[in-house]
Structures are given as structure tokens and as C-alpha cells.
Amino acid sequence: MKFLKEITRIGALIYVVVCILQVLLFPPNFLSSLDNYFFIFALIHILIINLTSKGYRKISIAFLLFFSWSLISEYINHGLDGITNIPYLLYFLKWPAILVTLLNFQKNTIHSRKVKLFVDGLFFTIVSINLFLLINPFGYGEILQNIFSPKEYANFVYYNEFRNFRLVGTQMNPNDNAVILSLFYFYYLLMDSKKWYFSIILGGLVLLTQSRTVFILLILLTVVFLFVKLKKVMSKKRFFHVSLFIGIFLISFIYSSNNLRSIFTGEAFRSHSVQVRLDNFTNAIDSNSNSLSLGNGVITNPVEQFGVHIDSEFIVIILQFGIIGLVFWGLILLALATQFKQKTIAFSYWIVLIILIVGVSLTNFTFTHSHIGVAITFFLGVIYYSSKDEISPPQTGLK
């Protein structure tokens, strides 16, 4: 029995590594189904953990409830034909499998060092790729960008129209790249703060994505962090000078960016994309009472079904799984928020990520996104392997 537990544990860890490497580093044409072969190990592993320990049951049950409701909603709307959409619904078992596997991974000096080195390796690789795309030596950056994000017209605009450059990185669009980079940013800002200079590099790259939502969240959360952190160690005069310097730098950069400048001119809130999202939200809540409560099931082609492109987590949850689905989605966030005691580093870090999830969900996908969901659960899961030695995992009973 012990041997079988070890096999499932190793298989689950391989699954996590394969998922994060594919999501962060592999272009879409290079993705494989290798992770699918190890998914069963991750599911068995999380089942064993929850049977032998109470430590992560709240999180597991919250995701399981959402998954169960999504199956019910799909069956109500599509009957047995909805079986073809089960792979999409399995994301809500994939996320706890990744998260709980990492949280349960035995914490010791060797493992902590390995996990931190793994995160650092991801950081250096992603930053190197982003810088190569940014510098664009001899035009090879644009060529590589078309491999990671095969949208030739959009990439041509980014590289050739003044002030419109947006850093897409290893993702399909600059907004997704901003979310990925911001997860690294908060990890180094809060959890591995000895490498605070990594956060500066990541913050600069996030600015270059020109993602307005992530920019606002990054500024607000960073200002709160700096106010709490620096106010304790700096004189008021020094704190004022540092704040002034940062403010001048941000204003200068924002002025040179069409997308970010629109936040302050008000154009961002009158833009076509905002109006489309408002119209989508209105359409979602104006649907008949049954579909508003129960949802319409998995939407494979929103343009064909609703005549619009949907890019908001809140709207897509309501349209697919109804208000009931949105409540279960909220229970997932509640389970995450109550995992740790208040006034602990772990609690603060997870709350920051939860705020990021909620904010991003206004204009992008989070848990319903195959890449962003992996990245979020991965960075939630590395909580025990930071430089903050006072964080201790609960006793799980599974060694």
C-alpha cells in the first residue's frame, strides 16, 4: 500500500511539472497530451490525501461542488450529448489536483530548495523569452512571437505602430501574459522577498503588456504593500521621496503608452471593449429565469450562440452555469480565503492572489482558462516553499 501511495505521489508531481511547463513555456503547436496520462495519478493522490487528512478538504470539496454542478447544468441543457464537453469541465478537478499535490508535498530543506530553484528557473526562462521578444534582434523576436501567438496582424501592429507595442510573451495575448507575470511578481514581492529586485523586472514587463486591469490591480496592491512595509522601516521624508520617484516614473511611462494612458483620460471606460462587456453582462442577466439560474451549459462558440465574444470570467460562469454556478465559484474563493489563519504571511499572500483573481475575472478568464488556471493554482501551491520559514503546513497524515 505504501508503494502504491508513493507511485501516485510521484505521478501527481510529474503531472504538476508537465502542466506548468506546457502552460508557461510551450507554444500552442508544441503542446502534447502528456499531462492527460498523469491526470489519473493526481486524482488518486488527492483522494488519498483527503481520506487520510482534513487539511485540504475545504478546498477539495469546494472545487468538487462546482464540478458536480457543472455536470448537472450540462445534463439539464444538453442531455447525454453534453458528454463531449466533460474534458472542459474536468478543469475544476484539475485545479485542486495541482494545488493540493503541491500543498501536501513534504516540506523539508531539500524540497524547499528544489521548489524555489524550479520557480527561479521558470522566472529566468520566461523573462529571457519576454526580453528577446521585446528587443526583437534582427526581427527574430517578432517571428518567435508569431510562434507563441499566431496572430500575425495583431503582432504586426504591436511591433510597427508607435506607442502600441504590447508584450504578448509566451501566451496567446498580452492580457494573459500580464496575469502570468503578475503571479511571479507577487510571489517575489511577498514570499521570496530576498529577491525583491525580480519584482522590479517583472513589474516593468507587466507595464509593457499594457494590460489595464492588471496594471490597476498591480498598482493598488503594491501601494498597500509598500505603505505597510516601508512605513515601518523608513522615515516619513524618505518614504515621501521614494513614493515621489516611483510616481514620476509611472507617469512618464503611462504617458508613452496609448493603452495605459486611456485609464487616466477616461477613454478606457468609454471604450468599445468596456461597452461590449457591459452588453454581455446585460444579456446574461436578461436571459429567462431558468437559464439565469441554471445556465446554458458549456458554450463552445459564443459568437455563434450569442453573437459576441465573451472575455469575462463572471459573465462566462453566469452564461454557462448560471447564478448557482457563480455561487459555487465564490465558494472556491471562500475556501481559499479561510485556509490559513488571519495575520499570517500565508493568509496575506493568498488574499492578494484572491483579489488578483477577482479583479482579473472582470475582464479576463481565470479558473475557466486552461493556462491561467494552472498558473494560479501553481502559485497558490508554492506557499510552503518560500523563504518565509515561519509558514508551516498542517499535519496531513500522508508522508
Side-chain angles (χ1 to χ4, degrees):
M1 187 65 180
K2 189 175 180 181
F3 174 74
L4 290 175
K5 285 182 179 179
E6 185 62 16
I7 290 294
T8 57
R9 188 181 77 89
I10 293 172
L13 287 172
I14 293 173
Y15 175 71
V16 172
V17 172
V18 170
C19 283
I20 198 67
L21 289 178
Q22 287 199 139
V23 160
L24 296 184
L25 304 180
F26 287 17
N29 290 334
F30 290 80
L31 296 178
S32 71
S33 58
L34 180 62
D35 57 323
N36 294 333
Y37 298 111
F38 289 95
F39 183 45
I40 186 64
F41 290 99
L43 285 182
I44 295 172
H45 186 243
I46 192 177
L47 178 62
I48 293 173
I49 291 170
N50 283 292
L51 287 175
T52 56
S53 156
K54 295 193 240 182
Y56 310 113
R57 283 183 189 170
K58 281 192 299 184
I59 294 173
S60 302
I61 291 172
F63 278 103
L64 182 61
L65 285 172
F66 186 97
F67 172 72
S68 301
W69 170 249
S70 69
L71 287 177
I72 294 170
S73 177
E74 184 66 14
Y75 179 76
I76 291 171
N77 287 282
H78 301 128
L80 293 178
D81 291 338
I83 195 169
T84 57
N85 291 321
I86 287 181
Y88 170 80
L89 301 179
L90 283 172
Y91 283 140
F92 282 87
L93 293 183
K94 181 175 184 175
W95 308 151
I98 293 172
L99 177 56
V100 175
T101 294
L102 284 168
L103 291 174
N104 190 74
F105 189 42
Q106 187 178 359
K107 184 179 187 292
N108 57 42
T109 304
I110 296 175
H111 287 158
S112 294
R113 190 180 301 118
K114 287 180 179 178
V115 172
K116 287 200 290 184
L117 285 173
F118 181 68
V119 177
D120 289 347
L122 290 173
F123 163 79
F124 283 114
T125 306
I126 287 175
V127 167
S128 297
I129 293 173
N130 274 272
L131 288 176
F132 183 82
L133 297 171
L134 172 64
I135 299 169
N136 191 25
F138 306 108
Y140 288 113
E142 187 175 352
I143 293 172
L144 182 61
Q145 189 66 87
N146 283 316
I147 294 175
F148 277 108
S149 177
K151 301 177 181 179
E152 292 187 9
Y153 176 74
N155 291 329
F156 178 83
V157 170
Y158 294 155
Y159 277 95
N160 294 280
E161 289 194 7
F162 181 63
R163 291 184 175 180
N164 285 326
F165 175 79
R166 300 189 68 183
L167 187 61
V168 182
T170 60
Q171 302 305 303
M172 287 294 289
N173 62 69
N175 294 323
D176 289 351
N177 192 34
V179 177
I180 298 294
L181 293 171
S182 66
L183 290 168
F184 277 96
Y185 173 89
F186 286 116
Y187 169 80
Y188 285 113
L189 187 70
L190 299 172
M191 300 311 302
D192 203 357
S193 51
K194 290 179 180 177
K195 300 166 187 168
W196 55 268
Y197 40 87
F198 287 177
S199 292
I200 295 177
I201 297 170
L202 290 160
L205 293 176
V206 170
L207 288 175
L208 289 168
T209 66
Q210 295 199 51
S211 172
R212 291 177 289 209
T213 302
V214 175
F215 170 76
I216 292 171
L217 289 167
L218 214 67
I219 293 297
L220 290 177
L221 291 170
T222 302
V223 166
V224 172
F225 168 79
L226 291 176
F227 182 78
V228 173
K229 190 83 173 174
L230 297 183
K231 204 163 183 283
K232 294 179 180 178
V233 297
M234 279 188 182
S235 64
K236 289 183 180 179
K237 187 176 180 181
R238 178 70 63 83
F239 181 75
F240 173 77
H241 288 160
V242 170
S243 302
L244 184 63
F245 173 78
I246 294 173
I248 292 172
F249 170 77
L250 287 174
I251 290 170
S252 301
F253 184 87
I254 291 164
Y255 181 77
S256 66
S257 163
N258 285 340
N259 215 44
L260 296 181
R261 192 170 69 251
S262 66
I263 298 172
F264 300 92
T265 62
E267 293 176 14
F269 307 101
R270 300 189 299 268
S271 66
H272 175 70
S273 62
V274 170
Q275 188 58 51
V276 167
R277 290 185 177 101
L278 290 174
D279 290 343
N280 290 345
F281 180 73
T282 302
N283 292 334
I285 62 176
D286 280 349
S287 56
N288 68 65
S289 57
N290 281 340
S291 62
L292 179 60
S293 301
L294 308 178
N296 299 283
V298 174
I299 299 168
T300 55
N301 192 332
V303 175
E304 182 180 300
Q305 191 167 342
F306 296 99
V308 292
H309 175 70
I310 301 169
D311 55 0
S312 165
E313 179 90 352
F314 292 122
I315 295 171
V316 82
I317 291 290
I318 293 173
L319 286 174
Q320 292 188 130
F321 310 119
I323 296 296
I324 296 175
L326 188 62
V327 170
F328 283 127
W329 186 87
L331 285 178
I332 292 173
L333 299 184
L334 182 62
L336 294 172
T338 56
Q339 178 66 28
F340 299 104
K341 292 180 181 179
Q342 294 183 20
K343 297 182 179 179
T344 62
I345 295 170
F347 175 79
S348 300
Y349 174 64
W350 271 28
I351 289 298
V352 166
L353 293 195
I354 289 170
I355 293 172
L356 184 70
I357 293 167
V358 173
V360 167
S361 295
L362 292 170
T363 59
N364 205 350
F365 299 136
T366 51
F367 287 125
T368 54
H369 192 297
S370 59
H371 283 201
I372 302 299
V374 169
I376 287 172
T377 48
F378 175 79
F379 278 98
L380 287 169
V382 295
I383 186 76
Y384 296 134
Y385 311 101
S386 70
S387 60
K388 309 296 185 182
D389 295 329
E390 59 267 40
I391 298 176
S392 299
Q395 296 300 314
T396 63
L398 183 64
K399 303 296 184 184

